[in-house]
Amino acid sequence: MNRTLKAWLAVFFVLVIVFCANTFMQRALRGIKADVTERQIYTLSDGTKNIIDKLNQPITLKLYYAEKAAMKGPDKIRFFNIYYDFVKSLLEEYESVSDGMINLEVIDPRPYSEAETEALAHGLKKFPITEEENFFFGLVVQTQFGVEKTIPFFSPERQDFVEYDISYLIDTAITREKKKIGVVSSLPVTGQDVSDYMARMMRMQGQQPEPAWTFINQLKEGNYNVENIGTDVNKIENVDILMVIHPKDLPESTLFAIDQFAVTGGRTIICTDPHAFVDQPDRKKQMGGQMPSQSSSLNELLAKWGVEMKEKKFAGDSSLAIDTPLGPNQRAAPLIGYLGLKDECFNEDHPISSSLNDVRMLFAGALKFSEKEGVNVEPLLSTTNRGNTWSVDNQFELMRPNPERLMQKFTPGDKPVDMACIITGKLETNFPEGIEVEVETEDDEQDAPEAEKQSSEEDAEEQTKTKHLDPAAETSEDCAVVVFSDVDFISDMVAYRDAFFGSKMEVADNASVLLNAIEHISGSSDLLSIRSRGTHKRPFTVVEEIEQKAEERTAEQEEKIKAEISGFEKELQEIIQNSKGDTDDVIGSSIMKKKKELELKIRKAKARLQDVKRERREEIEALGNKLRNINMLLAPGVILVIAIILWLMRATKRRNFVSNRRD
C-alpha cells in the first residue's frame, strides 16, 4: 500500500472518528451544560424552579416556529432564527428540570398543514412572507384539564423578559383563581367606562373612548382581575390588592375607606405625584384662565404611618438626568426632572428592588421618613448621594420644561433623596373616632296617598341624613403599603413605547418594579427573581467616564459664556436707564465696542467648546479603534504565541537530541 493511499485512509478514519465522537458527546453528555454568560441568562432562576416544583399535573409546551418559511423571508425575518435558538434552549431547560412534568413539542407549521390550522386556532399571530408561506413564532401551554395559555408572538423587544413570560404563562395556567386588584384613581387608568352604544356614538363623532393604560392591560392578561372602584366610596372590600393612583382631591369618605383597608391588613400600593405630567389640564379651562392642579398627595394618611411627601419639592440628581429632546428641532439636553435610576439607586436588601437595573422617574417627589412605634419603613428607590430637592415658581415651568432653566434650580446635595418605600407593621388609623357621611334615606312612603307624598323644600333636605362610620375594632399586625412619589413612571408615556408589529415595548424596569411590588405584597415572590433579570446592560464605563469629563469641561465653558452674556446685558440696561441723552448717545461707540468685544469672546468660547467636543469624540473613536484592533488581533496573537512556544520547545529538544548523539 503506497503512502498516498495510507494518507487518504487516515484522513477518512479521522473524519469518521470525529463524527462518531461528536454524535456520542451530543447524546451522552446532553445534560452537562455550562452557562458562561455574565447574568446566567441560560440558567433558570430560582423563581422558575419553584413554579415548576409546584406543578401537580403534566403540562405540554408547544413551540410553533416557521423555520423553513423564515429561511425564505427577508433579513428581518431571518434574524428570528437566532432568537428561536435561544427560546428553544430555554424551553429545553424547563423540560429537563421538570422531572417529566413538562413535555416540549417543537412544531414547524407548514402551509395548508394541520399544524398551521392548530396555530391559527390557538390565536398565534401570522405574518405573510409569500403567497403561501406564513411566519409563526409563538408558544402554547396546555394542561390536562383543558386550560390553555398562549404567547401569540415572541417579540424581540421582550427578549430580556422571555423567561418571565414563559414562567408567568405556566403559573397562570396552573392557578385557577385570579387575584382581584381594585383601582382608586382620579385618572382614567382603567379606561373610559362607557357603554357599547356610547362608544359607537363617540366613534361616529370622530372620538375614541379613553383606552386603559398598558400596565393595566398587562395585569388583566395575567393572573389578575382589575376593577375600577371609583373615587367616592365609603368602604373597600372584596379586593386582594388596592392600587391608589394619583389620589387628587379625594373626599373624606374615600380617605377613610383607604385607611381602613390598609390598617386591617389589605395590601396597598399608593402612587402620588407633586406634578403628574400625564394629568394634562383641559384646554378649555386653560384658555379660560383656569389652571387645575396636577399634584396629588396622601400625607393625610401616610404621615401617621411614618412617610410624608414634601410639598412642591422634586427629587433631583444631575448625574441621573436623562438627555431629553423636547422639540423636533431641538438638541437633547439633560432634564433634571427626568431621572434614570441605576444600580446604586436600588435597595439591594429588598426583593422588590434588589435586581432592578434601570427605572425612570418623571418629576418624582421627595419622601421624608419618621419613626413610628411598631412601623418599619424601608426605602426602595432613591437618588445617588449627590441628590437633592428642587422646586419651581409655578407649574407652567413644568408643562413646557426648559432643561437649562430647570437645571439652574438644582444644587447638588450630599445624601440620597428617596422616591419609593414600603411600610410594614401595625398601622394606626387616622380616624380613631370614625367619620360622618351623608346617606340618602330610602323612600318608605311609596304606598302613601298622593297628598302625603308632597313635601316642602325642608322635607326634601331632610331626606339626606348623616351616618356615623366606626373604624375597625382591630387592626392587623401584618400591614404592607408600598408608596411611590411618581405617577408618570408607570404611564404609557414613560414606561412603554411602540414596538415591533404594533405591540408595546417596556422601557427600562418601570413595569417590573410595580409588578414586583404587587407580587411581593400579594405573597407571590416566585416571579420576582425572574422579572427583574430583564433589561441587563453592560455599560461602557471607560467611554462614559470620558464623556462625563468632557461634559464637565463643556459645562464650565457654558457657564462662563452665560455669565459674560448676563453681565453685558445688565451693564447695557444700566447704561440705557441712566442715559439722559437721545438715542444716538445711548447707542454710542463705547457700547458698540463693548458689544463687539463680547461677541468676539463668545465666538472664541464657542470655538473652544467645539474643540472640546471634537477632542471628546476623537478620544471615544480612538478607544473604539483600540478595542476593535484588540478583538481582531487577540485570537491570531494567542495562536502565534502558542506556535512560537511550540517551535522553541521543538528546537530545544532537537538541540538536546543532537548534543546527546554527539556525546
Side-chain angles (χ1 to χ4, degrees), residues 45-55 174 525-526 529:
S45 63
D46 293 336
T48 294
K49 293 177 181 178
N50 290 337
I51 291 174
I52 294 175
D53 291 340
K54 294 177 183 177
L55 290 175
I174 63 177
S525 58
D526 290 336
S529 58

Side-chain angles (χ1 to χ4, degrees), residues 569-610:
E569 290 178 347
K570 183 178 180 181
E571 183 180 356
L572 183 59
Q573 289 296 328
E574 290 178 354
I575 295 175
I576 293 176
Q577 292 176 1
N578 296 330
S579 176
K580 297 181 180 180
D582 55 11
T583 307
D584 294 336
D585 293 333
V586 175
I587 310 178
S589 59
S590 60
I591 299 178
M592 295 302 296
K593 286 182 179 179
K594 290 183 179 179
K595 182 179 179 181
K596 290 180 179 179
E597 290 176 358
L598 185 60
E599 288 176 348
L600 180 60
K601 292 180 180 179
I602 292 174
R603 285 197 296 270
K604 290 182 178 179
K606 288 184 177 180
R608 291 196 301 271
L609 287 177
Q610 294 297 328

Side-chain angles (χ1 to χ4, degrees), residues 101-102 144 374 568 586-587:
M101 298 298 287
I102 295 179
Q144 64 179 5
F568 170 72
V586 175
I587 310 178

Side-chain angles (χ1 to χ4, degrees), residues 398-623:
L398 302 178
M399 295 181 65
R400 292 185 178 180
N402 185 313
E404 292 184 359
R405 292 182 182 177
L406 293 183
M407 188 65 75
Q408 292 174 2
K409 297 177 179 293
F410 174 76
T411 303
D414 55 1
K415 59 182 179 180
V417 178
D418 296 307
M419 291 170 284
C421 68
I422 181 170
I423 310 170
T424 55
K426 186 173 183 179
L427 305 182
E428 186 178 353
T429 179
N430 289 270
F431 303 92
E433 304 297 329
I435 62 170
E436 300 287 336
V437 296
E438 293 184 352
V439 295
E440 294 183 358
T441 58
E442 296 182 358
D443 190 2
D444 297 329
E445 301 178 352
Q446 294 181 0
D447 298 330
E450 190 68 27
E452 295 181 4
K453 291 183 180 180
Q454 297 178 354
S455 60
S456 61
E457 294 182 359
E458 295 180 357
D459 295 333
E461 293 177 357
E462 290 178 357
Q463 290 181 2
T464 301
K465 295 184 179 180
T466 60
K467 178 182 178 181
H468 184 78
L469 297 180
D470 293 317
E474 294 184 3
T475 59
S476 174
E477 302 235 351
D478 187 24
C479 298
V481 179
V482 180
V483 181
F484 295 93
S485 64
D486 188 23
V487 171
D488 298 303
F489 86 102
I490 199 56
S491 68
D492 287 17
M493 177 180 61
V494 176
Y496 302 88
R497 66 176 174 86
D498 294 333
F500 201 62
F501 292 132
S503 60
K504 289 285 187 180
M505 174 185 175
E506 294 181 16
V507 177
D509 290 333
N510 286 33
S512 296
V513 64
L514 197 51
L515 279 172
N516 286 354
I518 291 173
E519 290 158 3
H520 178 74
I521 64 177
S522 64
S524 174
S525 58
D526 290 336
L527 292 172
L528 283 174
S529 58
I530 316 170
R531 179 81 195 181
S532 298
R533 295 179 74 184
T535 64
H536 50 272
K537 299 178 180 178
R538 299 186 65 181
F540 295 93
T541 54
V542 177
V543 176
E544 291 179 354
E545 184 178 354
I546 293 173
E547 290 183 343
Q548 185 176 0
K549 290 181 179 179
E551 287 175 1
E552 290 177 356
R553 294 196 299 269
T554 304
E556 293 177 1
Q557 296 290 342
E558 288 179 352
E559 290 298 325
K560 291 180 180 179
I561 294 173
K562 292 176 183 178
E564 291 177 358
I565 294 175
S566 177
F568 170 72
E569 290 178 347
K570 183 178 180 181
E571 183 180 356
L572 183 59
Q573 289 296 328
E574 290 178 354
I575 295 175
I576 293 176
Q577 292 176 1
N578 296 330
S579 176
K580 297 181 180 180
D582 55 11
T583 307
D584 294 336
D585 293 333
V586 175
I587 310 178
S589 59
S590 60
I591 299 178
M592 295 302 296
K593 286 182 179 179
K594 290 183 179 179
K595 182 179 179 181
K596 290 180 179 179
E597 290 176 358
L598 185 60
E599 288 176 348
L600 180 60
K601 292 180 180 179
I602 292 174
R603 285 197 296 270
K604 290 182 178 179
K606 288 184 177 180
R608 291 196 301 271
L609 287 177
Q610 294 297 328
D611 292 338
V612 171
K613 292 179 180 179
R614 187 183 67 255
E615 291 175 2
R616 177 184 62 187
R617 181 53 50 196
E618 289 175 353
E619 289 182 36
I620 296 173
E621 291 177 354
L623 176 63

Side-chain angles (χ1 to χ4, degrees), residues 101-136:
M101 298 298 287
I102 295 179
N103 177 40
L104 174 63
E105 298 180 8
V106 181
I107 303 171
D108 184 357
R110 302 298 298 140
Y112 311 115
S113 65
E114 184 178 350
E116 184 182 53
T117 304
E118 290 179 354
L120 294 173
H122 292 315
L124 302 187
K125 291 184 179 180
K126 73 170 184 176
F127 301 97
I129 297 178
T130 64
E131 293 183 358
E132 293 186 351
E133 296 282 3
N134 293 315
F135 180 69
F136 294 88

